[in-house]
């Protein structure tokens, strides 16, 4: 058999660690979606990971998303077998801070926005989704560490904002997103993830939104196993798949 590429090996390792973390937490690996974060990926690495079966990609920068998504999507669709009645879908996740003036550009490209953290952003997303006759799946980004982080709604304000989003006809509130501070101890990081899970449970108890309110997007390269232990359903892994070097815009690749 041909030798596996480094990326294939890293993907297999990450999938293995996800499976082990699920087993320890007595959860099924089918409950956890791996989003491959393309922030540090070269375009050919993105194409390769799609060929390895990953169908969820995450990007935090609007400009890069705009440049890359159309080409990557075309590549993905070109290699679907003809006549396949239910081909897999490629889903882009917007995981970074979203400015309201970028909504129009981002909306046609993304399957889910993880970073809704204000009423005004939610209202504008709802309005733009209405104009294109779409119901957009979103997550509420929570600042569960309540320190130093620029983005995310404060824990104390999250329930009320979730109630407001749940009334918006063109948004579907799917759950919460949280980030732990870089380099935190297991105890600190797990406390942040567990606070986020408790917040989701509180929202479910209050019957905010319907049964689709069940997702926890938490866990990155350094902490996804702890996140799975605390109930993550979506993990966003970048550098341990693609390396640490931040990749530039496509124009730099062409130069
Ligand atoms: C970059 C990024 C990730 C991936 O982080 P890694 O440590 O590279 O795995 C996940 N989520 C968000 C919001 C990011 O910006």
């Amino acid at each position: 058999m041909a030798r596996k590429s480094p990326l294939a090996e890293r993907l297999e390792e990450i999938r293995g660690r996800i499976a082990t973390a699920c087993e320890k937490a007595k959860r099924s690996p089918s409950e956890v979606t791996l989003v491959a974060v393309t922030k540090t990926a070269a375009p050919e690495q993105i194409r390769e990971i799609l060929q390895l079966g990953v169908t969820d990609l995450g990007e935090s920068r609007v400009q890069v998303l705009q440049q890359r998504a159309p080409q990557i999507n075309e590549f993905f669709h070109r290699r679907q077998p003809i006549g396949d009645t239910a081909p897999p879908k490629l889903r882009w996740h917007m995981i970074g801070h979203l400015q309201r003036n970028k909504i129009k550009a981002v909306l046609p490209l993304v399957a889910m926005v993880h970073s809704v953290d204000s009423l005004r952003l939610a209202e504008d997303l709802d309005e733009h989704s209405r104009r294109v006759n779409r119901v957009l799946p979103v997550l509420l980004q929570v600042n569960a560490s309540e320190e130093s982080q620029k983005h995310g709604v404060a824990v104390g304000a999250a329930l009320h904002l979730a109630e407001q989003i749940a009334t918006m006809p063109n948004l579907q509130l799917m759950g919460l997103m949280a980030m732990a501070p870089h380099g935190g101890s297991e105890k600190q990081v797990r406390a942040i993830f567990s606070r986020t899970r408790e917040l989701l449970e509180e929202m479910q108890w209050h019957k905010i939104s319907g049964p689709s309110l069940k997702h926890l997007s938490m866990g990155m390269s350094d902490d996804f196993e702890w996140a799975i232990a605390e109930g993550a359903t979506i993990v966003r892994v970048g550098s341990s798949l693609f390396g640490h070097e931040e990749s530039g815009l496509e124009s730099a690749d062409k130069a």
Side-chain angles (χ1 to χ4, degrees):
M1 226 181 92
R3 239 180 95 227
K4 286 208 179 80
S5 73
L7 179 58
E9 276 174 11
R10 290 195 294 265
L11 177 62
E12 193 175 288
E13 192 219 312
I14 298 289
R15 288 211 187 283
R17 285 168 58 191
I18 291 173
T20 305
C22 285
E23 204 174 306
K24 273 197 203 160
K26 302 195 165 50
R27 303 179 57 200
S28 160
S30 66
E31 288 172 35
V32 179
T33 299
L34 170 66
V35 171
V37 175
T38 56
K39 195 160 51 191
T40 62
E44 55 278 11
Q45 287 182 304
I46 303 177
R47 289 193 286 269
E48 186 185 346
I49 208 159
L50 296 176
Q51 281 173 312
L52 294 167
V54 168
T55 52
D56 289 87
L57 300 176
E59 182 50 70
S60 55
R61 301 157 303 176
V62 171
Q63 204 183 350
V64 179
L65 188 67
Q66 277 180 283
Q67 289 195 353
R68 286 184 167 179
Q71 287 155 271
I72 298 288
N73 293 349
E74 198 202 308
F75 168 82
F76 184 82
H77 292 296
R78 229 184 307 126
R79 55 172 297 279
Q80 296 308 318
I82 292 165
D84 194 337
T85 45
K89 283 209 171 73
L90 169 55
R91 289 179 295 268
W92 285 93
H93 299 248
M94 177 61 198
I95 61 172
H97 179 65
L98 182 56
Q99 288 173 300
R100 284 157 55 229
N101 62 1
K102 299 282 166 57
I103 289 174
K104 213 175 155 186
V106 162
L107 201 55
L109 303 174
V110 296
M112 189 189 269
V113 174
H114 291 221
S115 44
V116 177
D117 64 354
S118 74
L119 180 61
R120 291 181 76 187
L121 176 60
E123 283 173 342
D124 283 10
L125 279 168
D126 182 50
E127 172 58 21
H128 279 90
S129 301
R130 188 190 61 74
R131 284 184 210 164
V132 294
N133 197 20
R134 172 170 187 202
V135 177
L136 178 71
V138 297
L139 302 176
L140 183 58
Q141 183 176 353
V142 179
N143 185 355
S145 69
E146 295 190 319
E147 50 164 62
S148 67
Q149 288 186 22
K150 281 181 298 204
H151 304 301
V153 62
V155 171
L159 194 72
H160 184 55
L161 182 52
E163 279 171 342
Q164 290 173 304
I165 294 172
T167 67
M168 298 180 187
N170 291 82
L171 295 187
Q172 184 170 28
L173 184 62
M174 309 289 288
L176 304 177
M177 188 269 239
M179 282 204 267
H182 191 70
S185 70
E186 173 169 3
K187 193 159 169 257
Q188 291 166 326
V189 169
R190 286 187 64 156
I192 287 161
F193 292 153
S194 98
R195 192 174 306 142
T196 308
R197 188 197 58 234
E198 285 163 13
L199 191 56
L200 181 73
E201 286 165 357
E202 198 183 336
M203 290 173 183
Q204 289 168 334
W205 189 84
H206 283 281
K207 299 208 160 36
I208 295 171
S209 202
S212 60
L213 182 77
K214 62 180 180 191
H215 286 285
L216 289 168
S217 169
M218 46 190 206
M220 323 203 308
S221 289
D222 289 342
D223 55 21
F224 69 85
E225 284 142 313
W226 298 334
I228 288 170
E230 297 296 345
T233 64
I234 301 172
V235 293
R236 310 176 311 269
V237 178
S239 52
S240 54
L241 285 170
F242 297 117
H244 289 272
E245 200 95 334
E246 178 133 347
S247 75
L249 299 176
E250 218 77 332
S251 51
D253 299 323
K254 282 188 198 122

